Amino acid sequence: TITAAVTQFSWLGAEIHLIDTPGHVDFTIEVERSLRVLDGAVAVFCGVGGVEPQSEVVWRQADRHGIPRLAFVNKLDRPGADFDRVLGDMARKLGARGVPLTAPLYDDGIFTAVADLLTMERVSFSPEDQGATVARTPLSAAESRACAGYREALLEAAADADDVAAEKYLAGEVVPVPLLRAALRKGTLSGKVFPVFAGSALRNRGVQPAMDGIVHYLPSPEEGPPARGDDPRTGVPETREPVPSAPFSALVFKVLQEEGRRTVYLRIYSGKADEGDTLLNAATGRKEKVARLFRMHAGKKERIAGAAAGDIVAVRGIRFAG
């Protein structure tokens, strides 16, 4: 893509709003605009190329915005792919503590499955339906030995992030999976830990655990800090809680001209808006009318009656925002 595309989907009972940003350096401004409105991000690294220069640029942008991140190491089915080298690149080039939560498993040199390092299970993806069917079985003794280093790094990261996990780890006790997950979530939200998932998007292998990770480790809009801004009438700083019951606030992060019509993309931080509502443009002092509201699915629009805090929507009728 050369522009940021927006879509929504449900996963593990959560509604995820996804912005897919361009990867090429020439379109960095699209990434910057999108990062401004995100609660969390998934950084995709090439299993062969590692952390490339443009990935570094985007990572630094996310650092400036304080965005919690997961990493997905892609293309591990290709010759020359090296999961450990990417982890090393993250530490050396980004100064990031990448903690593998899944690791690649190979059969006769072919990437076929991932190891879930929390549950110590082999997660396999059926080739008959492009990986849609997922099967879990215990790791073999050989696979467990191969993953021992990754598992130890995971336990150490959880112990560093949470005192209860640290007590159990230092006492040599088994740390339960729910406690591990909660500890790693705490470390991720604080920006000290970056969970890493292994996979191949083309083969749909390792993707589902990474999507689980979005729900388990990245923040929901309600967990974010209150939106901050200045009252346009008084200039006094104000905050808005990220709930639908609060006064409305939103940020325009993208404007498109489509078929002679102006489409504005909004991230709603607080309150709610319905078709026909009138909003105050804080930058211009003008009133703007919400003529149409849409949920976006890449290039397709789904008309909706209203939207609330946490939503990313497209609006028609707003004339002076940009």
Side-chain angles (χ1 to χ4, degrees):
T1 57
I2 61 172
T3 61
V6 178
T7 191
Q8 295 87 32
F9 58 91
S10 295
W11 193 261
L12 295 186
E15 181 180 302
I16 298 174
H17 290 239
L18 174 71
I19 302 179
D20 175 31
T21 59
H24 196 278
V25 67
D26 289 349
F27 307 102
T28 296
I29 191 62
E30 282 284 308
V31 180
E32 183 74 30
R33 290 195 197 105
S34 301
L35 285 171
R36 173 64 178 81
V37 300
L38 295 181
D39 297 306
V42 180
V44 181
F45 298 123
C46 176
V48 179
V51 177
E52 298 171 299
Q54 176 59 7
S55 300
E56 285 191 64
V57 171
V58 174
W59 192 271
R60 305 298 180 203
Q61 289 171 312
D63 281 342
R64 287 201 301 274
H65 291 289
I67 297 172
R69 271 148 284 166
L70 312 179
F72 182 76
V73 181
N74 194 24
K75 302 180 182 178
L76 290 173
D77 57 322
R78 289 178 52 181
D82 189 329
F83 184 64
D84 289 333
R85 188 176 66 230
V86 180
L87 293 174
D89 276 0
M90 288 183 66
R92 187 176 66 260
K93 296 181 179 180
L94 306 177
R97 185 178 186 177
V99 179
L101 269 60
T102 64
L105 296 175
Y106 294 87
D107 292 325
D108 296 325
I110 299 173
F111 173 55
T112 55
V114 299
D116 185 329
L117 300 168
L118 269 80
T119 62
M120 294 303 282
E121 293 176 312
R122 179 187 178 95
V123 186
S124 303
F125 308 89
S126 172
E128 282 76 26
D129 56 9
Q130 284 291 307
T133 301
V134 179
R136 287 177 172 265
T137 55
L139 290 176
S140 68
E143 289 169 341
S144 294
R145 286 193 298 272
C147 293
Y150 299 134
R151 171 74 177 184
E152 190 65 20
L154 184 156
L155 291 170
E156 289 176 359
D160 289 344
D162 183 85
D163 290 341
V164 178
E167 288 176 10
K168 289 187 175 293
Y169 173 66
L170 294 173
E173 299 177 21
V174 174
V175 186
V177 170
L179 178 56
L180 276 178
R181 191 168 282 144
L184 291 168
R185 177 180 176 83
K186 186 184 296 185
T188 304
L189 297 184
S190 67
K192 296 176 181 176
V193 168
F194 300 94
V196 181
F197 296 86
S200 166
L202 179 64
R203 312 284 180 189
N204 202 21
R205 292 175 189 156
V207 175
Q208 292 92 332
M211 292 172 66
D212 293 348
I214 292 172
V215 178
H216 290 318
Y217 305 109
L218 295 182
S220 74
E222 291 182 349
E223 295 173 294
R228 299 179 181 275
D230 296 332
D231 187 312
R233 292 160 294 194
T234 65
V236 176
E238 288 190 4
T239 59
R240 300 280 170 86
E241 293 297 322
V243 293
S245 58
F248 181 83
S249 65
L251 180 71
V252 173
F253 69 95
K254 184 179 176 71
V255 179
L256 285 181
Q257 198 74 18
E258 302 175 308
E259 301 170 354
R261 297 181 179 180
R262 184 182 173 90
T263 302
V264 172
Y265 286 71
L266 290 180
R267 159 66 197 267
I268 301 177
Y269 284 97
S270 64
K272 57 184 180 179
D274 298 324
E275 280 194 354
D277 283 356
T278 299
L279 308 175
L280 175 66
N281 186 327
T284 64
R286 302 188 185 202
K287 292 183 177 180
E288 307 264 21
K289 187 166 183 179
V290 179
R292 296 283 187 274
L293 268 172
F294 302 97
R295 282 195 189 280
M296 298 300 299
H297 300 281
K300 298 179 181 178
K301 296 182 181 69
E302 175 193 346
R303 190 169 170 183
I304 56 175
D311 285 344
I312 296 175
V313 294
V315 182
R316 281 188 175 159
I318 295 181
R319 300 171 55 199
F320 303 106

